[in-house]
Amino acid sequence: MFVSDPSLISGKFLDSMSVYAPEWTDSIHHVGTSSTDSTDFSLYLSPYSDTTTFILASKSMLDTVHLFYTRKLILLSQECGFVTHFNIKSFNYTTNNIDSVFLIENEITTDNDGYLQIYF
Amino acid sequence: MVIYKYIFSFLFCILLGFPLYSQDIELEKDPWKITGVKIGMDVGRFSSYILKPEKTSYAGSLDIGFNNKYFAVFEYGYSEIHLEKTLYDYFSDGTFWKVGFDYNMLKKYPTDYLGIGFRFGQASFDHFAENISKDYSHWGSNITSTPLIKHSASWVEVTIGVKAELIKNVYFGWSALIKVHVTGGTDNSFQPYDIPGFGNPSNAINLGANYFIYYQIPFNRK
């Protein structure tokens, strides 16, 4: 899943933003520290639950994005085994830093990335 | 569309073949009588233990001969798959039946058989996978399984084969099969490994061979 803000020339105001999920054993996934950092990055939905919560932290402000989806086990091939495909049904979020969120692409498969735009 | 092309070709071949025998049928004066009932067991399945150790299957047949020329045929079988892969275990089991007829082209040795046949086959089976091992960055590893999924499938077959009487009323038969898939038994998300009686569901046409041993219960045998 990509989180993107293509209208931004600079991600500077997201200084030191971290993204993590409560279930992760490694807590920090991404930190943006300068204007040259890309505002696109990928996150993986939980393959073990129909809900994933991401927490976006920037300085002292926290925002939470909940994604609700369905999962389907797909047998990719006899040799490769099974993969999980997702279909995002809905989402909600807090608005401490976040201005708005748009779901651009809700199907996540081995051939297709989902796409979520988050505006701060 | 490909499958319809094959079905059409196959029906066309059969229809084309019938006129070749129409004169014989018209000249046939003998009244219809049952000349034998054969009970058969598919012994070719035993080779599966070596070639396909993940598959266990059994099949039997019953055919009723009329004037040693026409045979009504019924087959029934059971098939089970247990496939152990590195990332998952796969299980499937189900039954199939076939109904059809054989036509004996031999005239000189009417107790033996060299002929062609037609079958319609139907299978019902279910399958699932367990011990599906998954390992994702950030989310860790997990073992999961699929639900049990039921399928049914149908196909048609053309056979050409021989049956020879080894000892009195005991026959050995071999037949080559062309199986054309008609409906069911496929799933883009979780493709079955095998359709009982038909074979690989990914193929519109499967080729095969049967090896049967029959015991004939004689009726009106001279």
Side-chain angles (χ1 to χ4, degrees):
Chain A
M1 183 186 71
F2 290 99
V3 180
S4 175
D5 187 349
S7 65
L8 289 176
I9 297 171
S10 165
K12 197 173 182 178
F13 80 102
L14 297 175
D15 187 27
S16 299
M17 189 187 80
S18 303
V19 180
Y20 57 94
E23 296 90 349
W24 287 359
T25 51
D26 44 351
S27 58
I28 297 175
H29 176 73
H30 178 85
V31 178
T33 55
S34 75
S35 60
T36 57
D37 283 343
S38 169
T39 54
D40 282 2
F41 54 94
S42 59
L43 298 167
Y44 296 95
L45 298 178
S46 169
Y48 311 128
S49 168
D50 290 336
T51 305
T52 293
T53 299
F54 290 118
I55 297 168
L56 291 75
S58 180
K59 295 185 176 176
S60 61
M61 300 290 276
L62 291 177
D63 271 312
T64 304
V65 177
H66 298 283
L67 296 162
F68 306 97
Y69 48 86
T70 57
R71 294 169 292 145
K72 191 170 187 181
L73 274 175
I74 304 292
L75 180 61
L76 205 57
S77 71
Q78 295 289 339
E79 299 309 318
C80 295
F82 289 83
V83 296
T84 305
H85 287 182
F86 303 89
N87 188 311
I88 300 172
K89 297 297 184 184
S90 63
F91 59 90
N92 59 42
Y93 55 91
T94 60
T95 54
N96 295 321
N97 269 334
I98 293 176
D99 175 71
S100 56
V101 177
F102 297 95
L103 181 61
I104 307 300
E105 175 58 61
N106 66 324
E107 291 281 349
I108 303 172
T109 69
T110 45
D111 300 322
N112 188 56
D113 289 325
Y115 199 85
L116 195 72
Q117 285 184 338
I118 300 177
Y119 290 89
F120 297 92
Chain B
M1 289 304 292
V2 174
I3 191 170
Y4 293 114
K5 185 178 77 177
Y6 284 125
I7 290 171
F8 176 77
S9 303
F10 149 76
L11 289 174
F12 182 72
C13 288
I14 289 177
L15 293 173
L16 203 63
F18 272 118
L20 299 175
Y21 306 110
S22 62
Q23 284 187 328
D24 293 340
I25 294 168
E26 287 167 6
L27 294 173
E28 184 64 64
K29 298 296 182 187
D30 292 340
W32 282 59
K33 61 181 179 185
I34 295 176
T35 47
V37 175
K38 289 193 188 75
I39 299 168
M41 181 177 71
D42 187 354
V43 292
R45 305 278 165 178
F46 294 120
S47 65
S48 297
Y49 296 135
I50 299 168
L51 300 174
K52 283 191 167 182
E54 72 276 11
K55 184 173 182 175
T56 305
S57 62
Y58 310 96
S61 74
L62 175 72
D63 69 61
I64 303 170
F66 299 92
N67 301 353
N68 284 320
K69 180 170 277 191
Y70 306 102
F71 299 86
V73 181
F74 177 76
E75 295 177 34
Y76 186 82
Y78 169 80
S79 177
E80 184 180 293
I81 303 282
H82 180 195
L83 188 63
E84 289 187 1
K85 306 291 279 188
T86 308
L87 296 171
Y88 63 95
D89 291 340
Y90 176 85
F91 298 90
S92 167
D93 72 330
T95 59
F96 67 91
W97 56 262
K98 301 180 201 174
V99 63
F101 63 87
D102 285 339
Y103 176 76
N104 190 1
M105 295 185 285
L106 287 180
K107 294 173 184 171
K108 195 173 179 181
Y109 305 101
T111 58
D112 291 333
Y113 170 87
L114 167 63
I116 58 171
F118 173 83
R119 306 277 188 279
F120 172 78
Q122 174 85 36
S124 299
F125 64 101
D126 49 51
H127 71 152
F128 69 97
E130 64 178 19
N131 294 325
I132 301 169
S133 168
K134 307 180 78 173
D135 192 6
Y136 290 87
S137 58
H138 300 296
W139 298 108
S141 59
N142 193 17
I143 302 291
T144 187
S145 61
T146 68
L148 187 75
I149 299 171
K150 294 182 181 297
H151 283 286
S152 62
S154 61
W155 67 96
V156 291
E157 286 181 15
V158 173
T159 72
I160 181 164
V162 295
K163 292 172 193 167
E165 190 170 22
L166 299 178
I167 55 176
K168 193 169 179 64
N169 290 321
V170 176
Y171 290 75
F172 178 77
W174 171 86
S175 57
L177 316 172
I178 302 171
K179 309 174 191 184
V180 181
H181 182 251
V182 178
T183 60
T186 59
D187 183 344
N188 289 334
S189 301
F190 184 16
Q191 180 78 309
Y193 181 78
D194 181 84
I195 296 175
F198 176 75
N200 188 347
S202 302
N203 299 333
I205 292 181
N206 279 327
L207 304 178
N210 275 343
Y211 301 88
F212 270 79
I213 286 181
Y214 302 91
Y215 176 72
Q216 177 170 259
I217 303 167
F219 283 85
N220 301 317
R221 187 165 184 177
K222 295 170 185 173

